[in-house]
Every structure is written in structure tokens, then in C-alpha cells.
Amino acid sequence: YQRRVHGTPSECLFFFVLLMKSLLFVLFVGVCLCGPAKLCGDQQNCLTVTGLTGSNTECSNNKRKVCIYWDNSPNSNCPKASSDTISHVCIPGTKFSTWSSGSKNEHCQTVAAGSNVQFVVKDGAGCGSSTYSSPTAQCSATAAPGFCGDNGASNECIWTYKTESCPVSPTPPTPSSPPTPPPTQPPTQPTLPTEPIQPTPPTPSK
């Protein structure tokens, strides 16, 4: 006959707890990777902005080309999967909907170096009352009327970044002029010897 082997109650409880922990872990990962980046703090972990500082090729004529993109890089804590999209991003006057991840999907604008540059980002239900602040970036919720080229949407996050002035190239020193030579004196003409004056012979009398 076959003998059925049954685990003890403690073993069954151990495997049950282990199974529940595994299920909770899978659910946690799914929430973390698939949630919207709706708040300023969520977006901060996803967004990358380039061109704000440094002597890059975009910094010319005292202007900077500033670009923004998002991704889910390792240890970024971005709540979205890289295969997902963000609802939209705006530069002044233009909206880009269904924003995919990666630097190849960056959006750029050119501003005066040393000035502020702004982008609008919205995902999910929106920014709410969230804020974010750092020495180079500020985020808050705004309707942004007209910023995206439309009537604006409620609870968009507007990001303001501070750009750095373009590096000033040192002016090369002006070469010093050689000293002015003294005026050239004309050569002195040699003095010719004076011949003695011959006496006039007397005139004979008639």
C-alpha cells in the first residue's frame, strides 16, 4: 500500500507564511513599478534635466539648451516601469502627450544662461498639494493656463530650474608693442679742405 506523508502543523504554518510573504512581495513590486508619478517627489525620482550647468556645447552666445527626459534607472526609486508612459510634458506653448521613457524622448528649450527654465509634467491624478525644493529645482502644483498651448489642466506639476551662466573665456593678453627706436640722424657730410686764395698779380703800367 502507499503511505501518505503529511507535514506537521508547524511545517504547514511555515510554508503558508512563506507563501503569503511571496505574494505580498509580488504585489509590492507591482505597485512600485506600475504606479503613476503624480507627485513632485515621485517625479523628482524619474526626471533628468541636462544643460543646466557646465561648459557644454549648448552653452553659446550666452544661451543654454536645457532638455528633460524620464527613466527608471537602477536605484532611482521612480514609481513607473520603463515600458510605461507619463501622461504629458510641456515646454512653453507645446504639449507632448503619452511621454515615453529614455533620453531619446527628451524635450528641449533654449533660454538665456543664468535665467530660470520651466517644464510642466502631469501623470495620474495630478500633483495635488505636493511640493519639492532644492538649490537648483522647485516644484509645485499649478493649472499652468496657456503654458502647454491649451487652457491648462488642473493639478499639473510645474518645475522651475535655475541655469548657470556660461563660463567666460579669459581674454588673451594684448601683446606689448616694441619700443620706438630713436629718430635716425642723417649722416654727417665730410668737410672739404679750403684752398688758399692766390694773390692777384699787379697790373703793369703803361
Side-chain angles (χ1 to χ4, degrees):
Y1 66 94
Q2 282 186 327
R3 180 183 177 184
R4 293 185 178 180
V5 178
H6 298 280
T8 63
S10 60
E11 289 174 338
C12 291
L13 179 61
F14 171 79
F15 285 111
F16 176 79
V17 172
L18 183 62
L19 177 62
M20 293 304 295
K21 284 184 177 180
S22 299
L23 290 174
L24 289 173
F25 176 77
V26 171
L27 290 173
F28 175 78
V29 170
V31 170
C32 287
L33 294 182
C34 299
K38 59 183 181 178
L39 306 179
C40 287
D42 298 330
Q43 294 180 7
Q44 165 61 19
N45 292 326
C46 300
L47 299 177
T48 297
V49 179
T50 61
L52 295 173
T53 62
S55 55
N56 53 43
T57 55
E58 291 83 11
C59 192
S60 61
N61 298 323
N62 205 35
K63 295 185 183 226
R64 285 192 177 276
K65 183 180 179 183
V66 182
C67 301
I68 188 171
Y69 67 91
W70 77 273
D71 64 5
N72 188 348
S73 56
N75 303 320
S76 68
N77 295 322
C78 178
K80 299 188 72 70
S82 58
S83 58
D84 204 347
T85 59
I86 285 179
S87 173
H88 63 259
V89 60
C90 303
I91 61 175
T94 307
K95 176 193 283 186
F96 302 92
S97 300
T98 316
W99 188 22
S100 299
S101 66
S103 58
K104 64 182 179 181
N105 297 305
E106 68 181 6
H107 296 287
C108 307
Q109 54 180 303
T110 301
V111 297
S115 66
N116 291 335
V117 58
Q118 291 185 317
F119 297 91
V120 160
V121 179
K122 185 180 180 184
D123 198 35
C127 214
S129 58
S130 66
T131 59
Y132 175 84
S133 179
S134 76
T136 57
Q138 306 286 329
C139 174
S140 61
T142 177
F147 189 95
C148 293
D150 55 15
N151 293 327
S154 60
N155 286 329
E156 292 174 317
C157 290
I158 185 162
W159 286 89
T160 303
Y161 297 91
K162 177 68 176 176
T163 66
E164 188 180 71
S165 298
C166 291
V168 178
S169 301
T171 304
T174 303
S176 57
S177 301
T180 303
T184 304
Q185 297 292 333
T188 305
Q189 296 295 329
T191 305
L192 297 176
T194 305
E195 294 193 7
I197 300 174
Q198 295 297 326
T200 303
T203 302
S205 61
K206 293 182 180 180

